Amino acid sequence: MSDISFAELGLDPAVLEAVTEVGYEKPSPIQAQAIPALLAGNHLLGVAQTGTGKTAAFALPLLSRIDASSREPQLLVLAPTRELAIQVAEAFTTYASKFRHFHVLPIYGGQDFQPQIRGLKRGAQVIVGTPGRMLDHLRKGTLKLNNLKALVLDEADEMLRMGFIDDVEAILAKTPDDCQRALFSATMPPQIKKVAQTYLQNATEVKIESATRTVERIAQFVLPVYAERKLDALTRILEIEPFDASIIFVRTKAETTLLAEKLSARGHAVAPLNGDLNQRQREQTVEDLKRGKKDIIIATDVAARGLDVPRITHVINYDVPYDTEAYIHRVGRTGRAGRTGKAILLVTPRERSWLRTLERATNSPMQGYELPSPKELLEMREQQFETQLLAFSDDKKLAKAIALLDDIAERNDMDMAMVAGALACWMEAAQPGSLPLEQPEALPVVSNKPPRRDSKGGRPGGDRRKGGFKKGGPKGQGRDGGRGKSVGKGGKPAGKRPPRKA
Ligand code: ADP
Ligand code: MG
């Protein structure tokens, strides 16, 4: 973060007040550089990764320049997806919360035209939308840009990737010549450069090398595991990690559903998030995660793009990502809004070369993740069982329950210990796994060492030969490596977590 404060940037007092209320301490690097340039009316070209605070970088200064007494569209923001458009619109609502008359209107495909047309008729100073639908409205004449003061292209490279670049150019061509323009992108492919040269002449350029910043607050772990044991490993991670919400990345849409079903069967509040769901369903899923109706989301890279849910404390890479950029984006789903996060990557023996690659790309170390030993796991479960049992020791129905069981004991010549034992077995029969009786099986240990290139010039990935992984028992497991302090004794508060199956 820079040394400058928000108060020094020259923002409109109402905007500054809103930012203070949100609790941002300092402008992020891109904000510190972009805000003065945009306040001065310059065009801006901003290159920065996800999670660097680009929304506020354009929203705060451009809101400061808005004439809140006029309802004409003054600021147009183009975003690649409906989700991102909504997210940006929500950010505007937050940052403009101290304005007396402010309207932001999200506009995207897949929604009826009528409510959008009504919204446009009512008037809104800021319109955020996807290019296709925006262009539809321009062509229909339901949206006019005569008095547009500023235009923002958010995630320009993503719009290019999604094939929107022609629509974007068509919209740009319809904006007034004196309209201020800002373009944000994580990368600068040639087509985007060309757009910038045409429409953002003499722009102030801000480039933030942010790959490392993105992961600064995120503790990164790697767990080598055999492919066929990944689900077991994941189940244990979820059992011992004190997460609030967690996002699990897999490679395919089919896998999101499959894994969600498996975790659901194990008692987790989980939902898949993939491109096959319609937008309505995807929105609902994200909303459920925000509200705590779901705690885990199984997602593909595409579906989770730009996802901003502050309660995500853990990112689990169940499948390795396709490239380092995807990895950085994935782990950036946690550690949001200044919080800390934890990322855990499962790698199969063949994939261990990822370790070095990612350490280099993020410029930060990956620690070995250690699962508890079977003995420790059993102890944890016993502890948890006890905690949950004790939580019922002053239950409203306790007295009646005791009376009932006393009767049974007396009639059948049992003591209360026998009755309690029988009850526990009943519970186990109804919910297998709820009674911690047996030590769980040890997962085979895979060496944590990255594949070594030997003198014969072995390829990474071809490491099934010597120096490869070790097979065998719980050796090397057991220390509290990487799980942090909050794990272990006591576990979760009683009642929070459903009974689990091993
Ligand atoms: P980007 O568009 O670069 O991916 P966002 O604008 O979505 O990033 O911001 C990412 C997160 O950081 C959001 O949760 C946002 O509220 C938060 N954020 C933005 N600016 C600041 C700041 N100056 N201080 C703390 N948190 C911030
Ligand atoms: Mg963004």
Side-chain angles (χ1 to χ4, degrees), residues 50-51 53-55 58 84 87-88 154-155 306:
T50 332
K54 292 190 286 292
T55 318
F58 61 79
L84 287 173
Q87 213 164 280
V88 169
D154 197 12
E155 306 230 19

Side-chain angles (χ1 to χ4, degrees), residues 1 6 22-28 30-31 48-58 87 95 154-155 217 306 308 310 333 336-338:
M1 294 267 161
F6 276 110
V22 177
Y24 296 168
E25 284 183 330
K26 279 182 169 182
S28 71
I30 193 153
Q31 290 162 2
Q49 292 276 348
T50 332
T52 47
K54 292 190 286 292
T55 318
F58 61 79
Q87 213 164 280
Y95 302 143
D154 197 12
E155 306 230 19
R217 290 188 306 266
D308 185 21
R333 296 314 94 207
R336 308 292 288 177

Side-chain angles (χ1 to χ4, degrees), residues 411-459:
R411 274 202 302 278
N412 296 281
D413 199 19
M414 295 160 85
D415 62 14
M416 282 305 257
M418 280 175 76
V419 174
L423 256 184
C425 292
W426 182 3
M427 227 175 92
E428 170 68 14
Q431 276 275 13
S434 54
L435 200 56
L437 293 180
E438 266 150 54
Q439 199 160 295
E441 174 201 13
L443 295 188
V445 175
V446 180
S447 156
N448 201 5
K449 296 236 167 54
R452 215 167 290 141
R453 285 165 186 274
D454 60 24
S455 48
K456 287 176 209 129
R459 283 171 298 117

Side-chain angles (χ1 to χ4, degrees), residues 10 13 20 44 55 68-69 127 155 165 169 183 267 330 426 459 462:
T20 312
L44 186 101
T55 318
S69 63
I127 296 181
E155 306 230 19
I165 198 71
E169 288 217 54
L183 185 157
R330 285 178 177 190
W426 182 3
R459 283 171 298 117

